[in-house]
Amino acid sequence: MPIVREKLGEFKARESAAYRQSRPLSAARANQENGFFGGVPQHWMLDWPMPFPLVVQQASGTNLTDLDGHILTDLCLGDTGAMFGHNPEPVAKAVQAQASRGLTSMLPSVDVEEVGSLLQAKFGMPYWQITLTASDANRFALRAARAITKRAKILVFDGCYHGAVDETAVNLTAGRTVAKPSLWGQAYDLAAVTTCVPFNDVEALEAALKSDEIACVIMEPALTNCGMVAPASGFLDEVRRLTRVHGSLLLIDETHTLSTGPGGWTGTYGLEPDIWVAGKAIAGGIPTGVWGFTEDMKRGIERVRTEIPAGHSGVGTTLSGSALQMAALRACLQDVMTETNYAAMIAGAIALEDGLNALIAKLDLPWSVIRLGARLETVFAPSLPTNAEQMRASFDYELEAAIHLGLLNRGFLVTPFHNMLLAGPSLSREAPAAYVAALNSILNEIL
Ligand SMILES: Cc1ncc(COP(=O)(O)O)c(C=O)c1O
């Protein structure tokens, strides 16, 4: 059944009016000069599809209460930062306890040894470093990879996002690597340091690696930031084989695919990266990124340190590895990222997936659903895209924004970027069916 564009425009206007009317307190905040650019602490908070930003009063588990008292079921979960819920109790307790013992000292705290063991046991890497964000972890790991291999370039896949990391912020446009046109203040040509190839394209990957210029391939095991694109059967094995053949390191960024299972995609499917990165939810919402690496990488870093003078390395920030982070990380790894919590999250996501597939079939929509553990997404295409170019062709920003706003007015918060949903551990058993019913009622108005 086709979407009727005229109906869609009318729907959006009705939903915008309903949002405005039901949120006088948030609206009043939005119109105030509050000292922030655009009234928000991060400029992109203005990019959500609502007429003005939703002000959050409080959040707990998988619920979020806005300033006007609406309780929302949160399927965005801070775009993964709150994947295990908004206030996982073990983390909240550990943070409270650590606050009375000191937050940061630029020295290792007593939790370090236990956190190291937990990271090794969960994700397999023998050595680890802590950062404040996943962006930082990627940036520092890439610096280490270039230092060790003595190669300048990195390789990324089209459609990737690895955070605020200059050299990864590129697209593949008409076969060329180009800086994303949306970047602010880009000062140098990213194509000089980055090669971008299509996801799932072994030939293009091999051709790029053959140059023997690539220090590191950085990738998510499945694209999750350009819609969700799964790796074709055998693709990840080929990436590993070819990087080894051509002397490039392999960085697997699991910041989002940590949703796959307790050991991320790497643990679930037995990947063998040289560097493993995660952030966002890894310390239950306390700002933390981690990068783990192999014995060989460790020896490489040791060698590099003997070759250059001591001093600023370009790796590390003052608050990274703080006592606060280590306490939160320990609690999250030990008591939150449990088999039980993952089982609940994945069950919630499967219920959502089943409900969405049934709705798509009932309404005869040319859409499909992809799920990776606790994360899933509706794609506006009859079969799942295999690379970013195909995925971009399926995008329908007008439809997406209207649906997101309609869902919000019906009590569901979803990620503002594409149609991604995350099922947190405390998502109620009723929530998936209620979500599908809300989507059904929206579609009834625009089909
Ligand atoms: C795969 C991936 N890596 C890294 C990042 C960066 O995370 P942060 O913004 O917390 O630094 C993101 C953010 O969306 C991401 O999706």
Side-chain angles (χ1 to χ4, degrees):
M1 246 195 254
I3 305 294
V4 182
R5 291 289 147 179
E6 207 176 48
K7 285 191 183 179
L8 187 61
E10 290 163 7
F11 174 79
K12 180 94 192 283
R14 277 198 306 280
E15 294 298 318
S16 293
Y19 179 88
R20 282 176 197 283
Q21 208 196 354
S22 62
R23 290 188 167 81
L25 298 177
S26 284
R29 290 277 175 114
N31 293 327
Q32 272 172 22
E33 279 292 329
N34 64 7
F36 283 99
F37 172 78
V40 290
Q42 293 267 349
H43 66 93
W44 44 253
M45 290 179 179
L46 299 169
D47 294 347
W48 287 67
M50 301 81 104
F52 48 82
L54 186 79
V55 179
V56 178
Q57 181 74 53
Q58 65 164 57
S60 171
T62 50
N63 285 341
L64 190 146
T65 308
D66 71 21
L67 185 60
D68 291 276
H70 303 99
I71 299 173
L72 302 168
T73 298
D74 190 356
L75 298 164
C76 167
L77 295 173
D79 191 18
T80 309
M83 184 167 76
F84 302 113
H86 282 286
N87 50 359
E89 202 182 330
V91 174
K93 278 192 179 150
V95 166
Q96 260 177 355
Q98 190 59 47
S100 65
R101 294 196 297 263
L103 298 172
T104 188
S105 63
M106 239 177 59
L107 287 165
S109 66
V110 290
D111 286 321
V112 165
E113 200 176 335
E114 185 57 27
V115 171
S117 303
L118 284 162
L119 287 169
Q120 284 175 335
K122 274 200 186 292
F123 308 118
M125 289 296 178
Y127 301 102
W128 292 87
Q129 290 283 275
I130 303 295
T131 63
L132 279 180
T133 64
S135 299
D136 281 351
N138 283 326
R139 200 175 320 112
F140 300 154
L142 289 178
R143 200 175 256 281
R146 290 198 301 265
I148 290 168
T149 59
K150 302 198 189 313
R151 295 176 177 183
K153 277 193 145 183
I154 63 153
L155 184 142
V156 299
F157 290 102
D158 188 30
C160 75
Y161 182 71
H162 297 287
V165 183
D166 268 24
E167 56 269 58
T168 62
V170 296
N171 288 337
L172 188 64
T173 306
R176 288 182 48 237
T177 302
V178 292
K180 293 193 185 198
S182 51
L183 289 178
W184 292 10
Q186 187 54 44
Y188 63 97
D189 179 14
L190 292 177
V193 289
T194 308
T195 299
C196 185
V197 300
F199 195 67
N200 279 328
D201 187 335
V202 175
E203 245 174 66
L205 173 68
E206 185 163 24
L209 290 176
K210 266 187 181 158
S211 66
D212 288 344
E213 290 179 319
I214 306 294
C216 188
V217 170
I218 172 171
M219 69 185 298
E220 291 187 274
L223 297 181
T224 68
N225 283 291
C226 174
M228 279 160 60
V229 179
S233 166
F235 178 64
L236 297 175
D237 292 338
E238 278 300 278
V239 174
R240 181 63 283 190
R241 187 182 70 76
L242 289 169
T243 44
R244 283 197 175 123
V245 168
H246 295 286
S248 304
L249 296 168
L250 175 60
L251 185 163
I252 297 286
D253 178 355
E254 295 242 35
T255 302
H256 276 182
T257 50
L258 206 52
S259 64
T260 313
W265 188 294
T266 298
T268 307
Y269 298 109
L271 305 188
E272 294 176 8
D274 300 293
I275 308 167
W276 189 95
V277 163
K280 293 200 183 185
I282 192 95
I286 294 296
T288 303
V290 299
W291 54 292
F293 47 88
T294 59
E295 185 69 47
D296 275 358
M297 275 280 298
K298 178 210 178 216
R299 277 198 289 272
I301 293 172
E302 280 169 351
R303 194 192 68 237
V304 167
R305 279 165 66 88
T306 64
E307 290 168 355
I308 53 175
H312 292 155
S313 60
V315 174
T317 57
T318 312
L319 298 179
S320 301
S322 71
L324 176 71
Q325 286 183 302
M326 301 314 279
L329 198 45
R330 178 177 182 166
C332 192
L333 292 169
Q334 200 171 264
D335 299 322
V336 179
M337 294 179 66
T338 57
E339 297 276 351
T340 313
N341 274 343
Y342 267 97
M345 290 159 67
I346 291 170
I350 291 173
L352 282 163
E353 179 187 29
D354 290 348
L356 286 169
N357 276 325
L359 182 65
I360 289 168
K362 185 182 93 174
L363 299 178
D364 193 19
L365 289 163
W367 296 356
S368 37
V369 180
I370 174 169
R371 183 180 63 79
L372 308 174
R375 177 186 305 274
L376 71 154
E377 177 161 300
T378 307
V379 181
F380 298 145
S383 55
L384 291 173
T386 60
N387 61 33
E389 192 183 0
Q390 289 172 17
M391 184 58 94
R392 288 187 192 109
S394 78
F395 287 167
D396 184 335
Y397 295 111
E398 190 194 13
L399 174 62
E400 193 181 290
I403 290 178
H404 289 193
L405 183 55
L407 286 167
L408 187 58
N409 285 337
R410 288 158 182 76
F412 295 92
L413 185 70
V414 301
T415 320
F417 324 110
H418 36 105
N419 294 307
M420 197 166 73
L421 306 176
L422 265 175
S426 61
L427 188 69
S428 74
R429 286 174 78 88
E430 298 75 38
Y435 173 83
V436 173
L439 183 59
N440 188 22
S441 87
I442 291 168
L443 292 172
N444 282 336
E445 293 193 47
I446 57 179
L447 289 175

